[in-house]
Amino acid sequence: MTSQTPRYEYPRVLSIAGSDSGGGAGIQADLKTIAALGCFGMTAITALTAQNTCGVRAIHGVPPQMLRDQIDAVIDDIGADAVKIGMLHAPEIVRTVAEAIDRHTLPNVVFDPVMVATSGAVLIEQASMDVLVRELFPRAALITPNLDEAGLLIGKPLASTEDMEGAALALRAQGARAVLVKGGHLRGETVIDLLLTESGEKIWMKAPRIQSPNTHGTGCTLSSAIASHLALGESLVEAVRAARLYVREALQSGAQVRTGNCGGPLNHSHAPVAMHLRPLQRA
């Protein structure tokens, strides 16, 4: 039996985020999303959480050196075409990730500033806020805060599309290159998101609201879907539009499924695609 010389590689997406023991958000949601979109997922875990559909019971942070070792091990061997960053609970963890981005020149970084769980549990230390803005905003191709997170970052609550636009501009002024403010928490039957691009273009994205009790992990899913589409070579605007569609279909197909006793997860595997192959670019 003769061995074959490899001719192809997979689009590679690294998720740097926390672990959700309930499987609906964090690293677990990221891997499900990345696989469903035909990319190869890898992880560097920042924290372990004990949680389920009803809430977070405990958080155990990973030591910074262990996080650094995870990132280095993956990138030195496999590499990455895009990176999704989620839960960063402490300043030293933020700095470790920022240093890794520079050390490996990581491309297509999508940063979802996870700060508060749907249940209301705080997932980030207050001391991390300034470090997070200073160290990660300029290094990310896109940040994807929801209304609560954007409001926390700029110091005022958001309750309208005018507030969303002001927040996007304020976050750009804080150093973000591009901002997707997610308006799903606004009242009304239409979900409105705002993408402010690096060039300053404002792109409003609207769609009918999907009624579902299962929204756990929506933000994690969206950001990892955006990273996956960037890894496939799409532009930022194309990636955001495609990721929003994936999330909407995952919400719709999972709306009548019960998982756990509280807010369940999306149906990440509603329409999985085969792993993408492209000509091998590495020696």
Side-chain angles (χ1 to χ4, degrees):
M1 183 176 180
T2 59
S3 61
Q4 293 185 340
T5 302
R7 294 186 296 147
Y8 303 101
E9 64 181 2
Y10 303 127
R12 303 153 297 171
V13 181
L14 170 63
S15 171
I16 304 173
S19 169
D20 173 5
S21 55
I27 288 285
Q28 287 80 354
D30 294 341
L31 285 177
K32 292 173 186 178
T33 300
I34 293 164
L37 294 173
C39 296
F40 181 76
M42 305 160 290
T43 64
I45 297 175
T46 61
L48 304 177
T49 70
Q51 66 174 292
N52 52 32
T53 63
C54 296
V56 179
R57 298 186 180 185
I59 300 174
H60 177 72
V62 169
Q65 185 60 49
M66 182 59 186
L67 175 59
R68 176 185 175 122
D69 289 344
Q70 290 178 80
I71 297 171
D72 289 353
V74 167
I75 299 302
D76 288 346
D77 179 37
I78 303 170
D81 301 297
V83 179
K84 174 265 171 78
I85 300 174
M87 177 183 175
L88 305 176
H89 63 287
E92 59 270 22
I93 292 296
V94 175
R95 295 189 186 97
T96 298
V97 173
E99 291 166 0
I101 292 172
D102 291 346
R103 186 167 62 255
H104 296 290
T105 318
L106 297 178
N108 295 319
V109 176
V110 178
F111 177 36
D112 183 23
V114 179
M115 298 175 182
V116 182
T118 303
S119 62
V122 177
L123 302 177
I124 187 171
E125 296 176 6
Q126 185 63 39
S128 298
M129 294 284 290
D130 291 342
V131 178
L132 184 149
V133 170
R134 183 175 64 251
E135 298 291 343
L136 287 184
F137 275 25
R139 291 175 167 86
L142 176 71
I143 66 170
T144 63
N146 62 27
L147 289 185
D148 293 338
E149 292 157 350
L152 195 60
L153 285 164
I154 69 169
K156 58 177 288 188
L158 310 182
S160 67
T161 54
E162 290 77 14
D163 290 343
M164 290 174 62
E165 183 171 344
L169 292 169
L171 292 170
R172 274 283 305 277
Q174 290 181 9
R177 289 158 53 189
V179 182
L180 177 66
V181 179
K182 300 174 292 189
H185 292 169
L186 286 181
R187 295 179 180 273
E189 294 305 310
T190 300
V191 175
I192 304 173
D193 299 332
L194 171 60
L195 175 61
L196 178 63
T197 68
E198 192 166 3
S199 67
E201 182 182 7
K202 302 182 187 72
I203 302 174
W204 293 94
M205 301 180 182
K206 304 179 182 181
R209 185 178 299 278
I210 295 171
Q211 299 299 330
S212 173
N214 300 319
T215 60
H216 181 54
T218 306
C220 304
T221 299
L222 179 65
S223 54
S224 55
I226 294 171
S228 297
H229 282 284
L230 290 174
L232 291 171
E234 299 175 19
S235 70
L236 181 61
V237 175
E238 291 171 338
V240 170
R241 291 192 186 279
R244 288 180 81 253
L245 179 60
Y246 169 77
V247 170
R248 289 185 57 78
E249 292 175 345
L251 279 167
Q252 186 70 65
S253 62
Q256 297 184 27
V257 179
R258 177 171 175 176
T259 306
N261 294 312
C262 300
L266 316 184
N267 180 358
H268 294 93
S269 299
H270 64 276
V273 300
M275 194 76 100
H276 292 277
L277 298 176
R278 63 187 182 195
L280 184 63
Q281 300 174 13
R282 299 176 290 154

